[in-house]
Amino acid sequence: MSKFKEDVIMALMQECYAKIGLAKMNITVLLGMPSGVGGHSEYTQSIREQAAIIAEQKGLLKVLEEDFYDKE
């Protein structure tokens, strides 16, 4: 794998990990301080949105790792 290709793939993977980390932290905060969110539907919707971010980023990571990241 060329250095450029490796750098691009690694940067994209790091971005995914960062977004996953932020979404997990947001869920942790929401679960720890539910009074910070107005209504029940907004509370669950906020958590659902963060979980969707995690799912999306994990899917992107899987594609990058399996289809583009040459571990050799």
Side-chain angles (χ1 to χ4, degrees):
M1 177 183 323
S2 73
K3 177 75 170 127
F4 176 74
K5 181 179 175 183
E6 182 179 352
D7 287 348
V8 170
I9 299 301
M10 289 303 297
L12 291 170
M13 291 171 66
Q14 290 171 347
E15 181 182 32
C16 291
Y17 286 121
K19 288 180 179 180
I20 290 169
L22 288 171
K24 284 182 176 182
M25 179 55 66
N26 287 338
I27 290 173
T28 299
V29 169
L30 287 167
L31 291 173
M33 298 183 209
S35 62
V37 179
H40 177 69
S41 64
E42 292 174 12
Y43 175 73
T44 56
Q45 183 61 30
S46 295
I47 292 173
R48 180 185 307 271
E49 289 169 2
Q50 295 304 304
I53 290 169
I54 294 169
E56 177 185 353
Q57 295 305 311
K58 284 185 175 184
L60 181 54
L61 268 174
K62 183 176 180 180
V63 169
L64 291 169
E65 289 172 349
E66 292 178 1
D67 297 337
F68 298 101
Y69 185 70
D70 183 13
K71 295 174 180 137
E72 296 177 14

